[in-house]
Amino acid sequence: MAATIIDGRAEAKRVRARVASEIVELTAGGARAPGLATILVGDDPASAIYVASKRRGCAEVGIADRHRHLPTSATQEEVAAEIEACNRDPEIDGILLQLPVPAGLDGAALTALIAPEKDVDGLTPISAGRLAQGTPGLRPCTPLGVLELLDTYGVALEGTEAVVVGRSDLVGRPLAALLLERNATVTTCHSRTRERARVCARADLLVAAVGVPGLIGADHVKPGATVIDVGITRTEQGLLGDVQFDAAARRARLITPVPGGVGPMTPAMLLQNTVTAARARAR
Ligand code: NAP
């Protein structure tokens, strides 16, 4: 069996086009364009590249770019004051604090200051609690991107067996909660799981979010399963996922590549979350 390869780049483009048309509709109705504050502290080159790319994404779809750049020397209190100012600013609908913050600052404590209705990364304890309880709120972007791919490719979730490998606050844990919300039967594997391959081989939907290239071999894949590889590890051979792609693709029905699978979805879902937040605040 040759799996269908999920095209994350095309799907991300479709999401951006959808967001752009939602913004045209909002502004035609007299509302202002949604605003996203990206907060970058310091000059870490990788963080600067990520923030620049998010700002380009805003410009492309019509989100107002409310970027803030603080120096590496900024104190916890100064960054906190900037976040609080963004919380109060009526023209800002979404706030993204780029992590990691420089040494000496407490990124988790700063993230927790973001107002839940502006938490477009979905990473504050309040957003995580809302997701855990199944109440409405903003959800983290990468898990949302995975769901978007599954929905677009018509993957049924209700009643199916889903296994998520990885339990980080960023990906594995919220994704498991989202799949549970969609009535999948969800198992989470982690570094202490025994017989990981046997557990994974039960899955109709297998998601790997670990960061260990090639951890998931063909023996983890049930014939006909959907395999989603969230893992991205930068190596000398380029970007590698957690899944042994060729071997897994011979057993799966649907599979994401790395790169070009889940990766492009994350920034697209940030834009979607910003519009979702703006609509909710306008109500
Ligand atoms: P993380 O915080 O390091 O979490 C990794 C998880 O994998 C942990 O829960 C860990 O278990 C588990 N794990 C480690 N070794 C394992 C093993 N041998 N067997 C089973 N589970 C194991 O990483 P993350 O932030 O979730 O990111 C995971 C991967 O996704 C990384 O490659 C990252 O670059 C990528 N990522 C991609 C996107 C995207 O947009 N595509 C977004 C975010 C992250 P314990 O909890 O037991 O330690």
Side-chain angles (χ1 to χ4, degrees):
M1 184 192 309
T4 299
I5 298 172
I6 293 176
D7 187 344
R9 289 195 185 99
E11 285 314 309
K13 193 172 168 193
R14 192 184 54 75
V15 170
R16 290 196 300 272
R18 181 179 73 202
V19 170
S21 65
E22 278 185 59
I23 293 172
V24 168
E25 196 184 298
L26 274 173
T27 49
R32 57 166 179 79
L36 175 67
T38 47
I39 304 177
L40 175 65
V41 188
D43 296 305
D44 175 62
S47 293
I49 289 170
Y50 289 135
V51 168
S53 137
K54 287 164 190 171
R55 296 178 65 194
R56 275 197 306 276
C58 285
E60 193 188 314
V61 299
I63 289 175
D65 172 19
R66 312 265 178 212
H67 179 61
R68 314 287 206 254
H69 188 185
L70 284 82
T72 312
S73 59
T75 62
Q76 183 84 6
E77 292 70 28
E78 284 164 348
V79 184
E82 195 62 56
I83 293 172
E84 303 285 9
C86 292
N87 283 343
R88 287 190 302 272
D89 188 332
E91 302 211 332
I92 291 176
D93 299 289
I95 303 170
L96 178 143
L97 174 66
Q98 184 65 40
L99 298 174
V101 287
L105 297 180
D106 181 343
L110 290 167
T111 297
L113 296 175
I114 296 172
E117 68 275 14
K118 298 189 179 187
D119 177 22
V120 284
D121 250 349
L123 296 177
T124 63
I126 292 180
S127 297
R130 287 177 177 169
L131 174 57
Q133 292 191 334
T135 54
L138 291 161
R139 311 304 197 202
C141 300
T142 302
L144 265 190
V146 171
L147 273 197
E148 182 82 30
L149 289 177
L150 295 173
D151 287 341
T152 308
Y153 279 80
V155 178
L157 296 174
E158 182 155 327
T160 59
E161 186 135 12
V163 174
V164 179
V165 190
R167 57 175 166 181
S168 70
D169 292 340
L170 189 62
V171 190
R173 208 179 286 269
L175 181 57
L178 281 171
L179 293 170
L180 188 60
E181 203 168 73
R182 297 285 295 273
N183 297 318
T185 301
V186 185
T187 303
T188 298
C189 293
H190 46 77
S191 63
R192 259 52 75 75
T193 298
R194 292 195 203 115
E195 298 190 64
R196 187 186 57 241
R198 187 182 58 75
V199 176
C200 290
R202 290 202 314 250
D204 303 304
L205 167 65
L206 175 60
V207 184
V210 180
V212 177
L215 182 77
I216 306 296
D219 57 343
H220 290 58
V221 179
K222 176 175 164 178
T226 298
V227 178
I228 304 289
D229 192 352
V230 181
I232 300 179
T233 306
R234 217 169 277 279
T235 72
E236 281 178 2
Q237 301 101 59
L239 297 183
L240 294 182
D242 293 340
V243 175
Q244 296 172 24
F245 181 83
D246 291 340
R250 282 195 283 274
R251 291 172 72 87
R253 185 178 71 84
L254 273 173
I255 189 165
T256 57
V258 176
V262 177
M265 295 302 288
T266 301
M269 299 318 291
L270 172 71
L271 304 174
Q272 180 72 73
N273 264 353
T274 304
V275 175
T276 304
R279 282 189 191 281
R281 291 185 63 245
R283 275 198 291 274

